[in-house]
């Protein structure tokens, strides 16, 4: 099937710092394209793939599963590592879960993680019935377009195939068990008025990861698809500042000087060094004394 106009994957060859972006369940790269383009404008290498079964028609998603979706981003991450000195993974909703699993499985090959409204569980009584219900009912209503900003729409399916929903449920339970393996710096941005993924999912992620460098930012003016909503600019700026700061921290020796052959050179090559001084999410706000940064939470167990 031909890909829907606007749902095409996106790639940009920039500097030696790369970011892999993962879109959400039943969505498409369209929901993250402005984010990808923003990072590309700052000379990062950016990859935003189209997940199997997405971006065409909902029936195509019905015959895919989490193994297909994860295999796609896993392959893209391995390719990105071959041409970038530093690599970050990021995602929205289910894309956040994909990014977290990449971090858990690839360890030091991933330098940091950015997630926006990450999914951790398929909620509701119907979720428990999915193993049987998926054989009786082909689909249910869609979950796209949870956006507060008027005139903005998300390109995705108006139906959710239950076979794929069942696979998503299996995948999220798998990722939940792997969260303690996530040790990289983590930036989590959460909408306060999300009608798709509840706040409990973010709390669960924050409570189970082993990362000691954890920042949570609340997005007060957006719904689930924050990357297309009122807080989109903040998502973009904070994520770029996070990448800049993490690469800079990794490059410093114990005496505060840049280490030889460090990632700082990579950021300079990619043209993002100036963001630390001028970006709205400057590196200073992520210091050890920052109110927004903490070493994990007690929520989520």
């Amino acid at each position: 099937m031909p890909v829907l106009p606007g749902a095409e994957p996106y790639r940009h060859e920039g500097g030696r710092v790369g970011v892999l972006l993962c879109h959400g369940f039943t969505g498409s790269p369209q929901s993250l394209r402005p984010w990808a383009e923003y990072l590309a404008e700052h000379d990062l290498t950016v990859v935003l793939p189209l997940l199997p079964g997405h971006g065409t028609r909902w029936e195509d998603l019905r015959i895919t599963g989490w193994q297909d979706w994860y295999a796609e981003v896993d392959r893209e991450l391995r390719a990105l590592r071959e041409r970038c000195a530093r690599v970050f993974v990021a995602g929205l909703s289910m894309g956040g879960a994909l990014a977290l699993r990449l971090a858990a499985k690839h360890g030091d090959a991933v330098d940091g993680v950015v997630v926006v409204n990450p999914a951790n569980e398929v909620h509701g009584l119907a979720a428990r019935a999915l193993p049987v219900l998926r054989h009786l009912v082909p689909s249910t209503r869609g979950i796209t377009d949870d956006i507060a900003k008027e005139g903005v729409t998300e390109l995705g399916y108006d139906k959710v195939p239950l076979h794929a929903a069942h696979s998503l449920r299996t995948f999220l339970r798998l990722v939940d068990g792997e969260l303690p393996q996530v040790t990289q710096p983590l930036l989590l941005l959460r909408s306060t008025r999300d009608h798709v993924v509840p706040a409990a999912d973010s709390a669960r992620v924050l409570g189970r990861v082993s990362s000691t460098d954890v920042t949570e930012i609340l997005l007060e003016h957006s719904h689930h698809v924050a990357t297309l909503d009122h807080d989109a600019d903040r998502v973009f700026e904070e994520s770029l500042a996070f990448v800049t700061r993490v690469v800079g921290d990794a490059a410093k020796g114990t005496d505060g000087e840049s280490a030889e052959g460090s990632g700082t050179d990579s950021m300079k090559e990619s043209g993002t060094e100036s963001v630390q001084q001028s970006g709205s999410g400057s590196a200073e706000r992520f210091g050890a004394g920052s109110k927004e940064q903490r070493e994990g939470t007690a929520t989520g167990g």
Side-chain angles (χ1 to χ4, degrees):
M1 290 296 296
V3 174
L4 296 171
E8 301 88 357
Y10 175 89
R11 298 176 185 276
H12 172 79
E13 294 296 332
R16 299 194 65 211
V17 176
V19 180
L20 170 60
L21 296 173
C22 309
H23 69 76
F25 182 63
T26 75
S28 75
Q30 178 261 354
S31 61
L32 301 186
R33 186 173 296 272
W35 190 6
E37 292 175 343
Y38 176 89
L39 297 176
E41 288 171 0
H42 290 81
D43 291 327
L44 275 71
T45 292
V46 183
V47 177
L48 171 54
L50 174 64
L51 300 178
H54 292 75
T56 53
R57 56 177 190 167
W58 72 266
E59 291 90 346
D60 295 329
L61 182 58
R62 186 182 183 187
I63 58 175
T64 67
W66 74 262
Q67 297 91 339
D68 303 300
W69 316 325
Y70 180 75
E72 180 68 16
V73 295
D74 182 82
R75 181 180 63 81
E76 292 287 5
L77 175 62
R78 293 175 188 275
L80 194 58
R81 283 298 308 184
E82 292 180 357
R83 60 187 188 274
C84 290
R86 304 281 182 179
V87 171
F88 293 76
V89 293
L92 167 69
S93 194
M94 180 189 78
L98 289 169
L100 288 164
R101 185 163 205 253
L102 288 170
K105 303 300 287 185
H106 286 270
D108 292 342
V110 172
D111 292 275
V113 187
V114 181
V115 292
V116 180
N117 297 321
N120 180 257
E121 181 182 350
V122 176
H123 297 269
L125 294 176
R128 299 180 182 179
L130 278 174
V132 175
L133 194 60
R134 65 193 176 106
H135 297 293
L136 304 174
V137 181
S139 66
T140 187
R141 63 185 179 85
I143 57 174
T144 59
D145 264 350
D146 187 33
I147 302 172
K149 192 173 184 179
E150 293 185 5
V152 178
T153 60
E154 180 187 14
L155 181 60
Y157 296 147
D158 59 1
K159 292 184 178 181
V160 176
L162 294 194
H163 278 295
H166 173 67
S167 186
L168 172 63
R169 181 172 182 251
T170 301
F171 175 66
L172 294 180
R173 297 170 94 177
L174 173 68
V175 174
D176 183 71
E178 296 173 339
L179 287 177
Q181 299 175 40
V182 177
T183 60
Q184 298 89 340
L186 171 66
L187 171 62
L188 186 150
L189 302 105
R190 175 175 66 82
S191 298
T192 58
R193 295 181 293 165
D194 191 328
H195 303 100
V196 177
V197 173
D201 284 29
S202 288
R204 178 76 174 177
V205 169
L206 292 173
R208 287 185 58 78
V209 297
S210 297
S211 306
T212 57
D213 179 347
V214 178
T215 305
E216 180 184 25
I217 294 176
L218 299 184
L219 306 174
E220 299 180 352
H221 308 289
S222 299
H223 292 170
H224 182 63
V225 193
T227 50
L228 295 178
D229 217 327
H230 293 294
D231 292 297
D233 287 344
R234 188 174 189 196
V235 172
F236 307 160
E237 292 163 2
E238 295 286 2
S239 62
L240 178 61
F242 172 78
V243 170
T244 305
R245 193 261 299 176
V246 170
V247 170
D249 286 351
K252 292 177 182 177
T254 55
D255 60 355
E257 297 296 328
S258 294
E260 184 178 355
S262 69
T264 300
D265 293 334
S266 299
M267 291 301 290
K268 289 179 179 178
E269 290 175 16
S270 66
T272 57
E273 185 183 32
S274 62
V275 178
Q276 285 189 284
Q277 287 84 36
S278 61
S280 66
S282 63
E284 287 77 11
R285 67 179 300 185
F286 292 99
S290 170
K291 293 182 180 179
E292 288 189 89
Q293 184 174 338
R294 62 184 187 278
E295 295 185 358
T297 77
T299 309

